Amino acid sequence: MDQNNTILGTGISGPGNPVYGSELAKISIVESASLALTEALLNSDISQELKLNDICAGIGLAGVNLPHVYDEMIKWQSPFKSIYLTTDIHIACLGAHEGHDGAVLISGTGTCGLSNVKNHSKIIGGHGFPQGDKGSGAWYGLNAVEAVLLALDEMAPPTTISKYMCQVLKASTAEEIISKVAGKPASFFACLANTVFSALEDKDEVALAIIDEGASYISKMARLLLKTTPPRISFIGGLAEWIIPYLDQDIQKQLSSSLFPPEAGAVFYARHQTASLK
Amino acid sequence: MDQNNTILGTGISGPGNPVYGSELAKISIVESASLALTEALLNSDISQELKLNDICAGIGLAGVNLPHVYDEMIKWQSPFKSIYLTTDIHIACLGAHEGHDGAVLISGTGTCGLSNVKNHSKIIGGHGFPQGDKGSGAWYGLNAVEAVLLALDEMAPPTTISKYMCQVLKASTAEEIISKVAGKPASFFACLANTVFSALEDKDEVALAIIDEGASYISKMARLLLKTTPPRISFIGGLAEWIIPYLDQDIQKQLSSSLFPPEAGAVFYARHQTASLK
């Protein structure tokens, strides 16, 4: 990104979560940065001499809230001039508010909330699947499977979620559904979240109850974050657009659109850090 | 077991769930049967000449409700004279009612219900963790972890489950709890079920709500099974004694104690099958 926040180059590589392998995360970071740098050099009049070790890298990663994961990554003898390391949710928040104070609600595969006001940060959720992440894609998908299995057993009301679930999973019995979902990770269940939202077209009461429960968790998270008086609050992630209409009305009204993507937040973070060192 | 249903010998071996390895299940079955036979021969006046291939084996296994698992096991060239294969829950039901018609509710690591009346059987639940098995040990454990994490985030009322959870997990923060439970199987969560029941001593409202939700699922399962008019209904499994006081009063009154353990049900099953072939 240049000084006017115009994006000059981007790069996408492999997995970057150091909890599942810090060496792979490091390879992915270097590869994606190299790709972004190559593109930036082609698309701008920056001197072709610029290399990774001229660059102060802002890096936002899942898992670095855990001290041992942070320590492992911060010790890295990286090819960059320096690295500034923070969490994925922190850069998402910085991105949403162009590097300024604010709060974010995130619902993608998981859910999390963060406010960042006057150097104080408050984090809610992000506890993972299945023990946390209410209102996330994985949580909606799991609740959809539960509702369908209960309905097939006549232990709960029938639901049209069943119809969409059987289509998505190419299954027609409880046994087939179970054999397709058993032992699957959060990302798999997140792919089933749309079955709940599809069932809304049928005015399905079971689907509506599930959607309301997830949305009410997000509204409550927003309410706790608003107590920290952030200048702006945004709701981001793949599920955000689907959930927004079901949030409490007063929360909906307070949402501001996200200004930049999380990756830009990592650049804002690096700028803050280098500025504060000067 | 002799003709009077006196147990002459027992044997315990390794895992017997063919879903996780049919060869290991076969080894476990042969080993446990050999141990039982050795003990029976020592403790009785049966001719020492009796060998596995003189024996018609009744075998109750998890997973054989799935056709491909059943087919895999029934093709087995076993060392027995013959094998009679059915599900673990079916033999539990036969055991509970001394080989006669009846229904069982099971809550251990998972939950399941079965009625077996006039050669018709009805099965409810048993869908596995985390998508099913409401009211099971794993379900209570997962709900306990969820409640504790929500309380620590101030997203739900405080609960004394937290105190017991931190003791059991030797954890003191949300991060420590998450790192101990992340990715753990149903059996691990089942070990946390007691934290909910412990919190009852403190008249904890959150614990009571979780216990009621699980118990209400079991009551409903009982009600559906009672529609098949079983002569008896029993509630078995590690959680049964804890949950019984929270079942609907009319369901509690209809429960009969289990007469024999599931293993004896496998013997009853083999007897039925050999008798019906004569």
Side-chain angles (χ1 to χ4, degrees):
Chain A
M1 258 165 55
D2 66 14
Q3 296 290 352
N4 304 317
N5 297 338
T6 303
I7 291 172
L8 303 176
T10 61
I12 294 178
S13 179
N17 187 331
V19 173
Y20 304 117
S22 61
E23 291 312 311
L24 179 57
K26 290 169 186 171
I27 291 168
S28 301
I29 292 164
V30 172
E31 189 183 47
S32 56
S34 301
L35 289 168
L37 183 57
T38 304
E39 188 180 322
L41 294 176
L42 286 171
N43 291 344
S44 71
D45 52 5
I46 303 172
S47 152
Q48 295 287 330
E49 298 300 314
L50 199 61
K51 295 200 171 56
L52 290 185
N53 75 12
D54 299 310
I55 288 175
C56 302
I59 302 177
L61 298 178
V64 297
N65 56 313
L66 300 171
H68 72 277
V69 178
Y70 182 87
D71 291 347
E72 167 80 24
M73 290 303 296
I74 203 71
K75 283 187 303 193
W76 179 24
Q77 298 293 319
S78 83
F80 301 105
K81 184 177 172 190
S82 56
I83 61 171
Y84 301 105
L85 187 60
T86 188
T87 61
D88 52 348
I89 180 159
H90 187 198
I91 61 163
C93 189
L94 289 168
H97 309 300
E98 205 175 353
H100 302 298
D101 282 0
V104 279
L105 309 161
I106 304 182
S107 175
T109 301
T111 40
C112 197
L114 177 83
S115 87
N116 200 28
V117 178
K118 293 176 185 158
N119 292 316
H120 284 278
S121 74
K122 179 180 178 69
I123 188 159
I124 303 172
H127 301 321
F129 179 82
Q131 65 277 355
D133 289 356
K134 237 175 141 160
S136 68
W139 182 90
Y140 277 114
L142 178 63
N143 275 266
V145 173
E146 282 176 357
V148 167
L149 293 175
L150 287 170
L152 287 171
D153 270 348
E154 297 178 358
M155 289 287 288
T159 164
T160 63
I161 300 172
S162 302
K163 181 176 67 179
Y164 302 103
M165 183 69 67
C166 289
Q167 280 169 11
V168 174
L169 292 177
K170 297 187 179 64
S172 56
T173 63
E175 277 167 12
E176 284 175 12
I177 293 171
I178 296 161
S179 70
K180 299 258 167 125
V181 307
K184 290 293 193 299
S187 54
F188 179 89
F189 281 96
C191 295
L192 303 176
N194 61 343
T195 63
V196 191
F197 292 87
S198 298
L200 280 181
E201 291 166 27
D202 313 303
K203 301 195 192 307
D204 187 84
E205 299 276 342
V206 174
L208 192 60
I210 294 172
I211 288 168
D212 277 342
E213 188 184 345
S216 131
Y217 174 82
I218 310 275
S219 289
K220 193 160 189 178
M221 192 153 75
R223 234 171 264 292
L224 281 187
L225 294 177
L226 286 167
K227 283 190 184 169
T228 66
T229 65
R232 300 173 91 249
I233 182 166
S234 301
F235 186 8
I236 62 176
L239 275 280
E241 292 305 312
W242 296 2
I243 297 172
I244 286 173
Y246 301 93
L247 296 180
D248 296 345
Q249 290 282 332
D250 62 313
I251 300 293
Q252 287 188 45
K253 284 184 192 146
Q254 291 178 77
L255 294 178
S256 302
S257 60
S258 169
L259 301 176
F260 282 88
E263 311 87 86
V267 178
F268 297 135
Y269 184 68
R271 282 192 197 151
H272 288 183
Q273 297 295 307
T274 52
S276 69
L277 292 172
K278 277 174 190 165
Chain B
M1 259 165 54
D2 66 15
Q3 296 289 353
N4 303 318
N5 297 337
T6 303
I7 290 171
L8 303 176
T10 61
I12 293 178
S13 180
N17 187 331
V19 173
Y20 304 117
S22 61
E23 291 312 310
L24 179 57
K26 290 169 187 172
I27 291 167
S28 300
I29 292 164
V30 172
E31 189 183 48
S32 57
S34 301
L35 289 168
L37 183 58
T38 304
E39 188 180 322
L41 293 175
L42 285 171
N43 291 345
S44 71
D45 52 5
I46 302 172
S47 151
Q48 295 287 329
E49 297 300 314
L50 200 60
K51 295 200 169 55
L52 290 185
N53 75 11
D54 299 311
I55 288 176
C56 303
I59 302 177
L61 298 178
V64 296
N65 55 314
L66 300 171
H68 73 278
V69 178
Y70 182 87
D71 291 346
E72 168 80 24
M73 289 303 295
I74 204 71
K75 284 187 301 192
W76 179 24
Q77 298 293 320
S78 84
F80 300 105
K81 183 176 171 189
S82 56
I83 61 170
Y84 301 106
L85 187 60
T86 190
T87 60
D88 52 348
I89 179 160
H90 187 198
I91 61 164
C93 189
L94 289 168
H97 309 300
E98 204 174 356
H100 302 297
D101 282 359
V104 278
L105 308 161
I106 304 182
S107 175
T109 301
T111 39
C112 197
L114 176 84
S115 88
N116 200 28
V117 178
K118 292 176 184 154
N119 291 315
H120 284 277
S121 74
K122 180 182 178 69
I123 188 159
I124 303 172
H127 301 321
F129 178 83
Q131 67 275 355
D133 289 356
K134 239 176 140 160
S136 68
W139 183 90
Y140 276 114
L142 178 63
N143 275 267
V145 173
E146 282 176 357
V148 167
L149 293 175
L150 287 171
L152 288 171
D153 269 348
E154 296 179 2
M155 290 286 289
T159 164
T160 63
I161 299 173
S162 303
K163 179 176 68 179
Y164 302 104
M165 184 68 66
C166 289
Q167 281 169 9
V168 173
L169 292 178
K170 296 187 179 61
S172 56
T173 63
E175 277 167 11
E176 284 175 11
I177 292 171
I178 295 161
S179 70
K180 299 257 169 125
V181 307
K184 289 294 194 298
S187 53
F188 179 88
F189 281 96
C191 296
L192 304 176
N194 61 343
T195 63
V196 190
F197 292 87
S198 297
L200 281 181
E201 291 166 27
D202 313 303
K203 301 195 193 305
D204 186 83
E205 299 276 340
V206 174
L208 192 60
I210 295 172
I211 288 167
D212 276 342
E213 188 184 344
S216 131
Y217 175 82
I218 309 275
S219 288
K220 194 160 188 177
M221 192 153 75
R223 233 171 265 291
L224 281 186
L225 293 177
L226 286 167
K227 283 189 184 170
T228 67
T229 64
R232 301 174 91 247
I233 183 166
S234 300
F235 187 9
I236 61 178
L239 275 280
E241 292 306 311
W242 295 3
I243 296 172
I244 286 172
Y246 300 92
L247 296 180
D248 296 344
Q249 290 282 334
D250 61 313
I251 300 293
Q252 287 188 45
K253 284 184 191 146
Q254 291 177 77
L255 295 177
S256 302
S257 60
S258 169
L259 301 175
F260 282 88
E263 311 87 86
V267 178
F268 297 135
Y269 184 68
R271 280 191 198 153
H272 287 183
Q273 297 294 310
T274 52
S276 68
L277 291 172
K278 277 173 188 165

